Amino acid sequence: MVGQRQLIDKLRELARNLWWTWQPNAISLFRELDPALWRKLDHNPVEFLKQIDLEKLELRASELAIHSRIDYAFRRLAEYLKNTDSWGSVYASTLRSRPVAYFSAEFGLHESLPIYSGGLGVLAGDHLKSASDLGIPLVGVGLAYAQGYFRQSLDTNGWQQEHYLNADPEKLPIEQVLGPDDKPLMITIDTHSGVLHARVWRVEVGRTTLFLLDSFVPENSEWDRSLTARLYGGDARVRIRQELLLGVGGIRVLHALGISPSVLHLNEGHSAFAVLEMIRADMESNGVPFGEASRDVAAMTVFTTHTPVAAGHDRFPAALVEENLGKLREALHLSFDDFMGLGRVNIADPNELYCMTVLALKLSRHANGVSALHGRVSRRMWQPLYPTRSEEEVPIGHITNGVHVLTWVAPQMHLLYDRHLGTDWPKRQRFPEAWDGIRNIDDAELWETQQVLKARLIDFVRRRLVAQYQRRNESDATIDRVSQALDLNALTIGFARRFATYKRAGLVMRDVERLAAILEAVDRPVQFIFAGKAHPEDHLGKELIQNIVRMARQERFAHQLVFVEDYDMNVARQLVQGVDVWLNNPRRPQEASGTSGEKALLNGALNFSILDGWWAEAYDGTNGFAIGRGESHSVPSIQDERDHQALLDTLVNQVIPTYYNRDASGLPRGWITRQKNALRSLAWRFNADRMVMDYVQNSYLPAAGAQWCAMPKS
Ligand SMILES: *Cc1c(COP(=O)(O)O)cnc(C)c1O
């Protein structure tokens, strides 16, 4: 038996590597030690182990006979870390000595590390996790936001309130990075408005390391010290200086640590300045001119664009660019005009803003969108950058986003897959055959598993609603009512995402009376769970939230329409694991990919979505539901009205009848058939292992100047 000291040491070591976040056994270890504390601390094991009483820990551990389970988890982590028998060791071994450097302004790894705002960050987190599982040599580079993104609550009028909490590094799974001299590593960037300093944190994500730059150091001016306080929080000057730190600072961190990447992967344009610093370093160490160095660096750079909306791309005025990058420009021996030209479509137009996407496209040889449709839209959008080429020849391909399966799949579904696909299914997840066994799952077993998951979700939602209403000092009667909201037997539809306008959160409510008629049909009950944050500056987004909340507060809808505050990875996980239907109704073609529907899919939910992003290539008529036929219209209000009609028509004519059409044993056979079709046709395609493998084959190896070899080495 392990003693108390060793017990806590082993738990602390488990807590320090985010590997535990995708291990159901490790998660339940922490939870079972003190479920209430675990929940209260946002599932943060570092803080949990600081707060939990050691005596109590020991007592609980013996009660639960948990020592052997801790030993087991600990051993599995050690084995995972040293395992060299991976896909990457066969197919990506040429990256071993010089890894891929993956840059992103946000990383969504777990709710307890709040350095993400939405899909872009979660995608980056999932990318790191799959790279780790597959054994791809890859390091992440990002920023350490002291306050992260805001926490959301709603006031009595349903108006969003933003709260910023300072995270204490002591309570996060991060460690300060030391330099070669064993002192805390500090990097500096000289600008026309002073030297910017940053320290660096390290996060272990399985076998992958993520470096986070942090400007909160005494060497900085007060203004620069708060530079990394908030994600997407400041004005253009904050933004460009954050991006300077991420891109230029990120490369300096890698070089200071002796890491010489063979590939730069820019996840969105925010980090595009990294390319400039790589060019500068190449010019300095190899004595080559800008032209040659920029060709070398472009050859090793992979750029992924995520935004099909022109306004969504970062653009900066020339003065801000010169203030922050002027020193670097001088080191690159470029004139002001030549340097500005790198960020302009029309290099001769002095009024054109400096666009990060343009910079990234000009200085990378490998560019992609994040779904087939988004690839097409991006080629059209950026065609002016390639005047001698037709739209089809624009060098932007696509790699469709996928999600990290073990992060998003419910433990109950995991067990179901273990039983029917073989326990090694996670390793084979990207192959269609791995999912053949879905066919053999007994209908009743799948259905019952879904019922269990839905019950768990309803529990979660009720608890959150009670807490929300208590916080607002609502009446006991109201709190009592919301503690009973939702019905286990009702068709449950989830909608949760950022409340960006193009995602049209309120679309289903455009015609309140028609929706009311659907909600009030007692024999076929339907209920909606909403969640999502609006950007603090986005007044329209906040109005959308308010509209939903006002409706949810009407007595007649209160039981069937709820809004869960403070959408984060935890809320997302609960929702995608427990709903019957995942609704997505963006204004096509503005949803570059969307990934929440992929998470829902893995848990047996059926997608009910506009044919946009990933769903445009996923839907085959039998594996979910489509809203419309993939039309769009130049007048948004017309498109919205048509999509609204199509949404309600499909809901009434297909979704609801399929769900409620039961056989003698009470099972909706047609529904279950669709669930199985979805899992068999889609799970192998829309996971992050497949995505990362595609990046290795189509982008990383070519960028590293290596060959893809289809036959593994013997
Ligand atoms: C998956 C996820 C998203 C992405 O949602 P989409 O709108 O489908 O792209 C956003 N936020 C959180 C917290 C997520 O987990």
Side-chain angles (χ1 to χ4, degrees):
M1 192 169 113
V2 274
Q4 184 171 305
R5 203 46 286 129
Q6 276 174 306
L7 180 73
I8 188 94
D9 286 346
K10 286 187 172 171
L11 285 169
R12 286 201 178 120
E13 198 144 329
L14 278 175
R16 261 200 301 272
N17 189 315
L18 291 175
W19 174 81
W20 71 266
T21 62
W22 68 95
Q23 306 301 322
N25 294 326
I27 297 168
S28 58
L29 265 182
F30 289 122
R31 183 179 44 237
E32 286 169 36
L33 286 168
D34 187 341
L37 185 65
W38 180 243
R39 189 180 295 148
K40 180 178 151 214
L41 299 177
D42 265 347
H43 313 143
N44 176 342
V46 178
E47 194 174 2
F48 180 79
L49 293 173
K50 278 192 196 307
Q51 290 206 13
I52 197 166
D53 177 54
L54 283 187
E55 301 266 312
K56 182 170 171 189
L57 175 70
E58 186 57 30
L59 188 70
R60 282 292 287 167
S62 354
E63 271 172 23
L64 297 167
I66 230 168
H67 291 94
S68 61
R69 284 170 57 202
I70 293 172
D71 276 339
Y72 178 66
F74 189 76
R75 252 195 342 267
R76 282 195 44 236
L77 171 60
E79 277 162 18
Y80 178 89
L81 293 179
K82 61 172 204 281
N83 177 20
T84 51
D85 174 23
S86 64
W87 186 87
S89 68
V90 176
Y91 294 98
S93 61
T94 47
L95 305 171
R96 181 72 47 205
S97 56
R98 299 179 57 203
V100 176
Y102 182 91
F103 284 74
S104 181
E106 45 171 315
F107 285 90
L109 290 155
H110 188 256
E111 56 268 23
S112 62
L113 187 60
I115 54 170
Y116 66 95
S117 84
L120 181 73
V122 173
L123 178 80
D126 282 1
H127 195 104
L128 295 194
K129 292 172 183 172
S130 271
S132 168
D133 288 344
L134 293 169
I136 312 296
L138 181 144
V139 295
V141 180
L143 297 177
Y145 304 98
Q147 300 180 332
Y149 203 51
F150 68 92
R151 304 289 299 260
Q152 175 197 56
S153 70
L154 302 182
D155 68 14
T156 38
N157 295 316
W159 196 251
Q160 174 176 294
Q161 310 292 308
E162 294 104 27
H163 310 274
Y164 292 92
L165 308 175
N166 264 320
D168 176 355
E170 292 280 302
K171 295 179 182 161
L172 295 176
I174 63 176
E175 236 170 74
Q176 196 163 356
V177 173
L178 305 180
D181 56 359
D182 270 352
K183 296 214 182 71
L185 178 66
M186 189 75 85
I187 62 105
T188 58
I189 304 171
D190 201 7
T191 74
H192 284 316
S193 52
V195 178
L196 180 56
H197 303 257
R199 58 180 171 176
V200 188
W201 303 94
R202 166 204 298 275
V203 185
E204 299 301 340
V205 186
R207 293 185 278 213
T208 308
T209 301
L210 168 62
F211 296 105
L212 299 173
L213 289 98
D214 174 3
S215 70
F216 191 72
V217 292
E219 289 83 350
N220 275 333
S221 68
E222 202 170 325
W223 196 91
D224 278 338
R225 230 172 288 162
S226 59
L227 192 60
T228 52
R230 295 179 183 179
L231 174 56
Y232 306 144
D235 58 12
R237 181 156 190 268
V238 171
R239 189 80 167 223
I240 194 170
R241 234 164 144 79
Q242 282 186 340
E243 295 183 2
L244 177 72
L245 191 58
L246 173 64
V248 175
I251 294 291
R252 293 200 178 158
V253 169
L254 298 179
H255 285 163
L257 297 174
I259 299 170
S260 164
S262 59
V263 178
L264 297 185
H265 186 173
L266 313 176
N267 186 44
E268 191 50 298
H270 308 123
S271 55
F273 294 141
V275 180
L276 299 175
E277 172 61 12
M278 277 300 282
I279 295 172
R280 191 202 60 76
D282 190 26
M283 288 168 68
E284 186 182 273
S285 52
N286 298 320
V288 292
F290 177 84
E292 191 180 330
S294 67
R295 274 191 299 278
D296 291 349
V297 174
M300 67 181 283
T301 302
V302 178
F303 169 52
T304 301
T305 179
H306 291 263
T307 320
V309 187
H313 298 262
D314 271 340
R315 289 184 168 82
F316 299 111
L320 270 184
V321 176
E322 179 62 13
E323 176 200 330
N324 290 286
L325 287 114
K327 295 269 186 185
L328 180 59
R329 173 182 69 70
E330 288 157 16
L332 294 170
H333 307 302
L334 291 180
S335 70
F336 176 80
D337 288 339
D338 285 346
F339 188 80
M340 286 303 298
L342 293 172
R344 287 176 175 149
V345 179
N346 177 1
I347 55 173
D349 178 1
N351 296 319
E352 193 179 317
L353 296 172
Y354 191 90
C355 175
M356 297 301 280
T357 305
V358 173
L359 176 69
L361 285 170
K362 285 191 179 183
L363 292 179
S364 62
R365 282 294 81 83
H366 315 269
N368 68 279
V370 290
S371 69
L373 177 58
H374 178 235
R376 285 204 297 281
V377 171
S378 299
R379 286 191 287 280
R380 187 182 325 139
M381 186 166 151
W382 295 108
Q383 198 275 330
L385 257 185
Y386 309 88
T388 61
R389 301 191 189 207
S390 68
E391 204 174 290
E392 298 75 51
E393 292 166 344
V394 168
I396 303 176
H398 81 271
I399 291 178
T400 304
N401 287 343
V403 295
H404 185 252
V405 172
L406 295 189
T407 294
W408 296 105
V409 78
Q412 291 84 342
M413 291 300 284
H414 193 136
L415 288 174
L416 189 71
Y417 297 153
D418 280 352
R419 280 199 293 279
H420 296 279
L421 310 180
T423 52
D424 65 339
W425 66 270
K427 277 198 178 335
R428 298 180 288 119
Q429 59 175 274
R430 69 92 64 240
F431 302 105
E433 312 79 64
W435 299 87
D436 280 348
I438 293 290
R439 230 183 292 208
N440 307 329
I441 300 178
D442 183 56
D443 283 1
E445 191 185 6
L446 181 58
W447 185 247
E448 275 151 27
T449 307
Q450 302 276 285
Q451 297 297 104
V452 169
L453 289 171
K454 197 199 286 189
R456 214 181 55 144
L457 168 64
I458 291 176
D459 249 18
F460 170 81
V461 171
R462 287 177 177 168
R463 212 167 39 234
R464 291 287 288 244
L465 291 176
V466 166
Q468 287 169 202
Y469 280 69
Q470 280 172 342
R471 208 180 307 119
R472 289 193 294 260
N473 290 316
E474 307 253 359
S475 71
D476 288 348
T478 309
I479 292 171
D480 204 44
R481 197 192 61 204
V482 298
S483 74
Q484 299 303 316
L486 305 177
D487 175 355
L488 182 59
N489 297 311
L491 169 62
T492 305
I493 303 179
F495 181 101
R497 45 184 53 83
R498 289 180 304 115
F499 271 48
T501 320
Y502 77 85
K503 294 186 183 252
R504 302 188 296 190
L507 195 70
V508 71
M509 301 179 180
R510 244 174 115 87
D511 177 347
V512 174
E513 288 317 312
R514 189 158 173 215
L515 179 64
I518 294 169
L519 290 175
E520 284 162 357
V522 283
D523 54 332
R524 294 179 162 195
V526 178
Q527 57 197 9
F528 285 87
I529 306 175
F530 285 92
K533 294 173 175 177
H535 187 277
E537 313 277 301
D538 180 9
H539 200 83
L540 278 175
K542 292 187 189 180
E543 279 179 358
L544 281 176
I545 293 177
Q546 190 173 41
N547 286 341
I548 292 173
V549 172
R550 285 198 170 142
M551 229 175 123
R553 286 181 154 260
Q554 289 181 34
E555 193 71 40
R556 59 177 183 156
F557 300 133
H559 191 69
Q560 289 158 278
L561 222 168
V562 299
F563 187 94
V564 179
E565 294 174 15
D566 204 27
Y567 183 50
D568 66 355
M569 286 180 74
N570 179 35
V571 176
R573 205 168 47 238
Q574 303 287 341
L575 286 175
V576 297
Q577 293 180 356
V579 297
D580 298 303
V581 170
W582 193 251
L583 174 64
N584 192 18
N585 46 231
R587 195 178 284 143
R588 179 180 151 123
Q590 298 187 26
E591 184 76 283
S593 167
T595 51
S596 54
E598 301 173 351
K599 304 167 192 168
L601 150 79
L602 290 169
N603 289 292
L606 290 181
N607 276 274
F608 173 32
S609 172
I610 295 278
L611 292 169
D612 196 8
W614 79 284
W615 193 237
E617 68 200 74
Y619 177 66
D620 69 3
T622 72
N623 55 9
F625 302 97
I627 301 170
R629 293 195 194 80
E631 318 81 335
S632 40
H633 198 281
S634 54
V635 182
S637 60
I638 296 178
Q639 189 172 346
D640 292 356
E641 185 47 36
R642 286 182 183 166
D643 288 348
H644 166 251
Q645 294 297 345
L647 194 171
L648 291 189
D649 289 347
T650 308
L651 179 61
V652 170
N653 299 327
Q654 293 184 46
V655 183
I656 297 175
T658 312
Y659 187 81
Y660 282 109
N661 186 2
R662 307 292 167 93
D663 71 358
S665 56
L667 292 173
R669 300 282 180 181
W671 189 270
I672 297 170
T673 301
R674 269 182 205 247
Q675 290 180 302
K676 292 183 177 178
N677 289 346
L679 286 166
R680 276 191 39 226
S681 64
L682 303 175
W684 65 275
R685 290 166 66 194
F686 297 99
N687 62 69
D689 277 13
R690 188 276 309 150
M691 170 179 74
V692 170
M693 288 167 162
D694 280 354
Y695 276 106
V696 169
Q697 180 173 354
N698 302 327
S699 309
Y700 295 166
L701 290 178
Q707 297 274 320
W708 164 255
C709 74
M711 291 301 291
K713 292 190 302 244
S714 55

